Amino acid sequence: MRRRSLLIAVPAGLVTLAACGDDDSGSSSTGDSASPEASGTSAPPSPKIVDGPLPAITAGTKFDEKPTVAKGSGDPSKDLAVKTVIAGGGKAVAENDFVIANYLGQIWSSAKVFDNSYDRKTPLVIQLAQGSIIDGWRYALAGKKTGSRVQFSVPPTWGYGEQGNEEAGIKGTDTLVFVVDVQDTFNANSSAKGEKVPQADAALPEVGTNTDGKAPSIEVPKADAPKKLVAEYVLEGDGPEVGAQDSVLVQYKGVVWDSGKEFDSTYARKQLTSFSLQQVVKGWSQGLTGKKVGSRVLIVIPPDLGYGDNPPQGSGIEKDSTLVFSVDILAKM
């Protein structure tokens, strides 16, 4: 089983898509390792950001190459020390964005590596939001551009606090050193960017192909709903395929087949959503499995793979409704 990142906090679960009767819905743990999440206590004041000191990167000096970092020399800064080692030319990262990054974290005083994503060969996807990740990351990466390598040291105040993290071997007095390769960033204005796929079946809904971050249109035909699951590309991306055990970061919009009425949308909430395919209705998990990251997918879910005669209270979904979704798969987690 893939080891869980030490930085991940459990993302917010979906209200309307969570599988009914699942006590674990709302959590998307990706492994069996304990996770020192952001502290639930009140946030400390914003740190002063300084240039150093920072230990040398002695090997693995290229972007997205696993780095080797020297032991810290002398006392670390009491402030947040941040250095852009490689300046990228992509999109700027902002507060509350979801970032995709490879990273290595170690302890200043011992150079002990307590976590890294390079060995897992799976970048971290996480939101730079208070309560989702340690504050040192939020402040160090804000304004940095994709394609950048950023090195920073995090004192306990903006790390794991006085409690540290026993399982990770982090004491409450430890300053942490990170090297982060920022691959991509997503926010409420993000869209899939795949190639358009012809929508030639007049018996199926037609989904808009705009990629401006606005909600695509969904035109439901005046016809009987299909009895079986439909999952078709609207825009086909070129990223890795989503596996049945994966978690995904998405934009989506859902309407009821019979009325065309919208009942749920990340676009309306202006907030992306992440979830495990093990924690949503079967139509979603089956419809997205095997689809490529970067794609927009039309999913038509019959009642037996949706909510049947037990729709979520207050959702606006009636019993035995066929549901229609447009889903942009932004990242695999």
Side-chain angles (χ1 to χ4, degrees):
M1 185 176 292
R2 191 176 73 211
R3 186 177 183 273
R4 190 182 184 192
S5 163
L6 288 169
L7 294 168
I8 288 179
V10 176
L14 294 177
V15 176
T16 58
L17 294 177
C20 296
D22 183 354
D23 291 337
D24 293 329
S25 57
S27 167
S28 63
S29 172
T30 55
D32 55 2
S33 173
S35 172
E37 300 168 4
S39 172
T41 59
S42 59
S46 300
K48 178 182 178 182
I49 296 179
V50 297
D51 294 334
L54 287 166
I57 300 174
T58 58
T61 57
K62 297 179 181 179
F63 180 81
D64 226 24
E65 187 176 36
K66 181 183 176 182
T68 300
V69 183
K71 177 181 174 181
S73 177
D75 293 331
S77 175
K78 301 295 184 183
D79 300 311
L80 187 66
V82 181
K83 178 182 180 182
T84 300
V85 180
I86 299 172
K91 298 172 288 187
V93 175
E95 177 80 2
N96 294 317
D97 278 8
F98 283 83
V99 296
I100 302 179
N102 270 317
Y103 70 98
L104 178 141
Q106 68 183 48
I107 296 171
W108 174 281
S109 60
S110 65
K112 177 189 174 184
V113 175
F114 58 83
D115 196 17
N116 89 90
S117 65
Y118 301 92
D119 289 346
R120 290 193 293 271
K121 301 186 185 306
T122 302
L124 174 70
V125 182
I126 198 162
Q127 188 176 22
L128 294 185
Q130 185 177 334
S132 295
I133 194 168
I134 58 173
D135 287 327
W137 271 61
R138 292 173 51 220
Y139 292 111
L141 296 183
K144 303 302 182 185
K145 294 184 177 181
T146 56
S148 295
R149 166 168 283 191
V150 185
Q151 183 184 18
F152 51 98
S153 67
V154 182
T157 300
W158 296 283
Y160 297 108
E162 296 178 355
Q163 73 273 16
N165 185 278
E166 184 177 356
E167 184 169 353
I170 299 170
K171 301 192 296 288
T173 56
D174 282 334
T175 289
L176 311 177
V177 178
F178 291 96
V179 176
V180 178
D181 290 322
V182 184
Q183 296 182 352
D184 212 341
T185 187
F186 299 100
N187 55 37
N189 295 317
S190 297
S191 289
K193 301 293 185 182
E195 294 293 323
K196 292 181 183 179
V197 176
Q199 300 179 68
D201 191 342
L204 293 179
E206 183 174 353
V207 178
T209 57
N210 57 295
T211 58
D212 55 2
K214 296 180 181 179
S217 59
I218 301 178
E219 300 294 334
V220 181
K222 296 186 183 300
D224 292 337
K227 301 299 183 183
K228 295 184 178 180
L229 177 71
V230 174
E232 303 286 350
Y233 284 120
V234 176
L235 302 173
E236 185 173 356
D238 58 2
E241 291 185 357
V242 175
Q245 305 294 323
D246 287 332
S247 294
V248 289
L249 177 68
V250 300
Q251 285 265 42
Y252 73 91
K253 173 181 172 180
V255 304
V256 178
W257 179 286
D258 288 342
S259 65
K261 180 181 178 181
E262 180 180 309
F263 61 86
D264 197 11
S265 170
T266 56
Y267 302 95
R269 291 196 299 273
K270 300 185 185 304
Q271 185 176 13
L272 303 179
T273 295
S274 60
F275 56 87
S276 166
L277 292 190
Q278 298 299 298
Q279 296 167 331
V280 290
V281 295
K282 292 180 180 179
W284 262 70
S285 58
Q286 294 177 17
L288 292 183
T289 297
K291 294 296 188 285
K292 300 174 187 176
V293 172
S295 299
R296 176 170 297 164
V297 183
L298 163 69
I299 306 179
V300 182
I301 303 179
D304 62 319
L305 296 178
Y307 298 109
D309 62 359
N310 188 29
Q313 188 174 6
S315 65
I317 302 171
E318 296 183 0
K319 292 181 179 181
D320 298 320
S321 290
T322 295
L323 307 178
V324 182
F325 289 94
S326 169
V327 185
D328 281 18
I329 309 171
L330 302 177
K332 184 171 74 167
M333 305 171 72

